[in-house]
Amino acid sequence: MHREAILLTPGPLTTTLRTKTAMLRDWGSWDSEFMAVTAGVRKSLLDIVRGHESHVVVPLQGSGTFSVEAAVATVVPRDGHILVLDNGAYCKRAAKLSTMMGRRTTLAPTDEAQAVSPAQLHALLEKDPSITHVVLIHCETGAGVLNPLAQVAQVCEQHSKGLIVDAMSSFAALEIDARSTRFDALIAASGKCLEGVPGMGFVFLRKAILDSCIGNNASLAMDLYDQYVYMEKTGQWRFTPPTHVLVALAEAIAQFEEEGGQAARLKRYQANCQTLIDGMAALGFKPFLEPAIQAPIIVTFHAPGDARYEFKKFYEAAKQHGFILYPGKLTQIETFRVGCIGAIGPVEMQQAVHAVSLTLQEMGIASGKPA
Ligand SMILES: *Cc1c(COP(=O)(O)O)cnc(C)c1O
């Protein structure tokens, strides 16, 4: 019997039927009902970071990367200097887009099996006063590392530097409190831990820096300041909004609030992550990260050492058993990843482990033990 596979990928991810059903209606972008949905979503997003006093939130059409690029180009002046704390693939992407936006960009490399270091940041800012902004990836989805946001924000504040946070895969699951953690811009998207469908991002901008954003962005479509001003004035989006994505997000946020908000979501993802790691360990699999820096969002596992292992076959066989896995994103060693986020709980994670066990049997692999 056909059943839709469960996505163990960190966006797009598995959504509830309720969220999917919300998309079965067409909306006029100028209509007051749709404008009310936009306003409601913006209010809820600010609630989540307790940012009503200090920040505004600006939604933007497109995947999450569009919003990262828009945030960099809107917030950083053209003669600014960006330092990217780099411990993985999404950090490198942020650095690449910063360079392509014409901003001077410096990478501060850290091993991808480690969290970035606030002490190293402090030293780098002391050494190079020309740095104006720091870019931090909160949860580096490449390996799954949790980076120390609060401490990095503190160092940036001490040095009076701007901070841009890519919180794409952490927002709504890990705690972020704008009252105690100062950031100039923080970016997330519809299709991650809020469990909406992909298609729009949103950026929290610190009110105190809004005026300094005027004229920074050389793009019309990607200018968050312009989008903000227009939205405040008219209640509408500039240019065609992703109507179905937004109403699905509103429905997903309603379920997020019913579940108990960020704390409840974190608890479920932690249970998912622990169930996964324990179950996979029993099959011989070893996680790539130390538990202390493992975010409960996505887990990187070493590939099995068995010569019969091949990711493509492994993926296809697991899919036949109803689960979509994710390739690894590390440069040096062979790994694969399993997401813990989406409208799934520990029962689905147990089933996923069982699917992996059947997959190993079919491939003639005795154990997931790495080489
Ligand atoms: C998902 C994600 C993004 C955005 O990726 P898109 O493919 O553009 O949606 C950016 N940063 C991180 C850390 C992510 O996990």
Side-chain angles (χ1 to χ4, degrees):
M1 196 175 79
H2 177 76
R3 190 190 74 178
E4 239 175 69
I6 287 180
L7 301 179
L8 297 178
T9 57
L13 38 66
T14 296
T15 59
T16 65
L17 185 61
R18 193 173 145 189
T19 297
K20 285 190 263 273
T21 307
M23 294 184 285
L24 297 179
R25 174 179 161 189
D26 300 316
W27 299 75
S29 59
W30 40 262
D31 190 83
S32 61
E33 276 184 78
F34 181 73
M35 291 190 322
V37 179
T38 301
V41 165
R42 291 177 74 203
K43 180 192 173 294
S44 301
L45 294 174
L46 281 167
D47 287 342
I48 295 170
V49 293
R50 297 174 169 87
H52 286 279
E53 283 283 305
S54 53
H55 290 75
V56 300
V57 67
V58 189
L60 183 71
Q61 298 92 331
S63 89
T65 305
F66 288 56
S67 282
V68 180
E69 189 163 302
V72 166
T74 301
V75 166
V76 182
R78 296 191 199 181
D79 61 353
H81 180 184
I82 300 170
L83 178 71
V84 180
L85 300 173
D86 172 19
N87 63 339
Y90 289 90
C91 305
K92 289 178 181 69
R93 186 188 293 179
K96 182 175 179 188
L97 66 85
S98 298
T99 304
M100 291 185 72
M101 292 301 99
R103 298 331 188 254
R104 183 178 165 201
T105 304
T106 301
L107 274 163
T110 302
D111 191 289
E112 52 196 354
Q114 312 248 304
V116 303
S117 153
Q120 183 204 22
L121 172 63
H122 174 78
L124 288 168
L125 294 178
E126 294 269 288
K127 215 173 86 189
D128 189 348
S130 75
I131 292 162
T132 57
H133 292 76
V134 173
V135 170
L136 174 76
I137 313 295
H138 188 197
C139 168
E140 190 12 287
T141 321
V145 177
L146 177 60
N147 282 317
L149 169 60
Q151 293 91 317
V152 165
Q154 221 166 28
V155 174
C156 290
E157 189 169 1
Q158 269 166 20
H159 288 81
S160 305
K161 305 297 180 187
L163 173 62
I164 297 172
V165 184
D166 172 349
M168 208 72 68
S169 65
S170 59
F171 176 80
L174 300 173
E175 195 188 12
I176 298 169
D177 190 332
R179 296 170 307 181
S180 50
T181 299
R182 196 191 77 157
F183 48 83
D184 287 2
L186 186 135
I187 308 122
S190 53
K192 301 254 174 160
C193 299
L194 281 174
E195 300 180 359
V197 301
M200 59 170 274
F202 45 89
V203 183
F204 297 93
L205 293 172
R206 194 152 66 89
K207 288 178 185 171
I209 66 141
L210 277 174
D211 286 347
S212 73
C213 294
I214 300 171
N216 284 343
N217 204 323
S219 160
L220 172 69
M222 304 286 273
D223 189 348
L224 293 171
Y225 182 80
D226 206 38
Q227 177 94 320
Y228 166 70
V229 170
Y230 187 84
M231 209 170 254
E232 289 297 304
K233 208 162 71 184
T234 65
Q236 297 172 17
W237 297 55
R238 286 178 322 159
F239 320 136
T240 305
T243 47
H244 295 74
V245 175
L246 187 79
V247 296
L249 180 60
E251 199 60 43
I253 291 173
Q255 293 160 85
F256 167 82
E257 288 166 355
E258 286 162 24
E259 186 179 0
Q262 174 266 324
R265 186 131 307 179
L266 175 61
K267 215 166 149 195
R268 175 158 59 84
Y269 289 171
Q270 279 170 334
N272 288 353
C273 185
Q274 201 55 52
T275 304
L276 173 72
I277 288 176
D278 292 348
M280 292 291 276
L283 301 177
F285 286 96
K286 190 170 174 290
F288 171 71
L289 296 176
E290 292 298 327
I293 55 165
Q294 173 70 63
I297 304 296
I298 185 166
V299 182
T300 298
F301 290 99
H302 289 276
D306 193 296
R308 276 159 288 202
Y309 176 81
E310 190 197 316
F311 178 75
K312 213 165 171 293
K313 276 191 202 156
F314 183 66
Y315 173 91
E316 287 299 336
K319 182 179 168 183
Q320 289 308 311
H321 293 296
F323 291 87
I324 304 286
L325 305 175
Y326 214 45
K329 210 163 185 156
L330 302 187
T331 39
Q332 303 295 326
I333 50 172
E334 197 177 348
T335 56
F336 66 92
R337 292 179 293 170
V338 185
C340 306
I341 65 179
I344 51 174
V347 170
E348 283 77 16
M349 292 320 255
Q350 278 166 6
Q351 292 168 351
V353 170
H354 184 61
V356 169
S357 139
L358 294 174
T359 297
L360 288 184
Q361 276 174 36
E362 286 159 13
M363 293 176 77
I365 300 173
S367 160
K369 198 169 162 296

